[in-house]
């Protein structure tokens, strides 16, 4: 320390220097279905007490930059590469103010733009319906997701309008959407299905044995706006059974 009069000059010599680090993890990790929400969390180290800016990147392009060390998205595609670059401001004894994380390469199954929505009661929970591997478990979820001109493919099995006991709940079709049963869960073309071998049932038997507490309607399409069917809607390849409107 040296100086003249009231002036003091302080010189700091770093006996030890630090190299900033950053790493990222994804949740969920591993393969995901298209449309799944993924949360990336960055952990920084050796920042010398400085403030940190986190710049998340997908395929080298910045998608979020700021003080938050997390980034969430539902729009990842197969083989997208996610990284995070940090910039430290005001840190002491740093060899560099910047660091880049590990690369996470995403495996994404299906595509939300395919126009076909898949249903399989034996599928894992949480599917987004974009492929057989990511199938919905519930038929109505697929109908709700479908847009005009789309198709819903349903694998063999028995499906019910509700897992509860509300008899008023029924499947509701949608304009310009074709709903097809008779699949085994591997097909890539509509012509490959076989509704004789792959029996696909829509059942109103939602309660105890016997018809007394069955759904009033298995399928119910109102004839009043806005739920009325005014354009072609298709239901094909199903056995519809066990409704009880008494």
């Amino acid at each position: 320390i040296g100086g003249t009069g009231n002036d003091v000059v302080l010189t700091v010599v770093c006996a030890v220097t630090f190299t900033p680090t950053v790493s990222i993890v994804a949740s969920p990790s591993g393969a995901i279905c298209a449309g799944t929400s993924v949360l990336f969390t960055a952990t920084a180290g050796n920042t010398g007490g400085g403030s940190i800016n986190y710049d998340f990147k997908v395929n080298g392009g910045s998608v979020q930059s700021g003080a938050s060390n997390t980034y969430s998205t539902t729009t990842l595609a197969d083989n997208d590469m996610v990284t995070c670059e940090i910039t430290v401001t005001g840190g002491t004894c740093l060899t560099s103010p910047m660091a880049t994380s590990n690369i996470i390469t995403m495996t994404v199954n299906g595509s939300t733009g395919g126009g076909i929505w898949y249903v399989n009661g034996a599928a894992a929970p949480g599917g987004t319906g974009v492929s057989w591997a990511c199938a919905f478990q519930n038929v109505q979820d697929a109908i709700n997701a479908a847009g005009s001109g789309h198709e819903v493919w349903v694998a063999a099995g028995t499906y019910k309008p509700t897992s509860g006991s509300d008899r008023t709940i029924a499947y509701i079709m949608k304009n310009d959407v074709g709903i097809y049963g008779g699949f085994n869960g591997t097909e890539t073309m509509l012509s490959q299905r076989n509704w004789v071998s792959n029996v696909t049932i829509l059942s109103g038997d939602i309660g105890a044995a016997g018809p007394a507490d069955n759904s009033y309607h298995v399928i119910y399409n109102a004839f009043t706006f806005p739920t009325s069917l005014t354009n072609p809607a298709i239901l094909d390849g199903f056995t519809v059974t066990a409704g009880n409107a008494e």
Side-chain angles (χ1 to χ4, degrees):
I1 301 174
T4 302
N6 293 325
D7 295 332
V8 176
V9 177
L10 178 63
T11 302
V12 177
V13 178
C14 295
V16 178
T17 57
F18 303 98
T19 300
T21 62
V22 60
S23 61
I24 59 172
V25 295
S27 179
S29 59
I32 62 168
C33 299
T36 298
S37 179
V38 182
L39 176 67
F40 296 91
T41 302
T43 302
N46 297 333
T47 59
S51 59
I52 307 169
N53 182 82
Y54 297 87
D55 188 6
F56 286 91
K57 299 182 178 184
V58 177
N59 301 325
S62 180
V63 291
Q64 176 183 292
S65 182
S68 175
N69 72 323
T70 62
Y71 164 64
S72 180
T73 180
T74 59
T75 60
L76 293 168
D78 195 36
N79 291 318
D80 274 353
M81 294 183 290
V82 182
T83 58
C84 181
E85 183 179 274
I86 63 169
T87 301
V88 182
T89 303
T92 58
C93 300
L94 300 180
T95 59
S96 170
M98 302 179 68
T100 302
S101 73
N102 53 302
I103 299 172
I104 296 180
T105 301
M106 300 302 301
T107 299
V108 181
N109 295 315
S111 168
T112 56
I116 299 175
W117 300 89
Y118 301 83
V119 182
N120 189 336
T128 56
V130 295
S131 67
W132 285 123
C134 299
F136 287 125
Q137 291 182 325
N138 184 280
V139 175
Q140 192 65 55
D141 287 341
I143 297 172
N144 293 344
S148 179
H150 288 188
E151 296 178 353
V152 173
W153 293 8
V154 185
T158 298
Y159 301 85
K160 300 178 181 181
T162 177
S163 58
S165 58
D166 188 344
R167 299 180 66 195
T168 66
I169 297 175
Y171 290 118
I172 300 174
M173 296 172 65
K174 185 181 285 187
N175 286 319
D176 292 316
V177 173
I179 308 167
Y180 299 93
F183 296 89
N184 65 24
T186 63
E187 294 86 350
T188 58
M189 295 185 296
L190 185 64
S191 60
Q192 294 173 324
R193 69 186 177 127
N194 186 328
W195 55 85
V196 176
S197 299
N198 304 312
V199 178
T200 312
I201 300 171
L202 303 180
S203 172
D205 189 8
I206 61 173
D213 59 353
N214 287 11
S215 300
Y216 292 124
H217 306 280
V218 179
I219 301 169
Y220 182 75
N221 297 308
F223 292 96
T224 56
F225 181 83
T227 57
S228 57
L229 294 181
T230 58
N231 294 309
I234 298 171
L235 185 72
D236 183 281
F238 293 93
T239 298
V240 181
T241 186
N244 181 12
E246 293 181 353

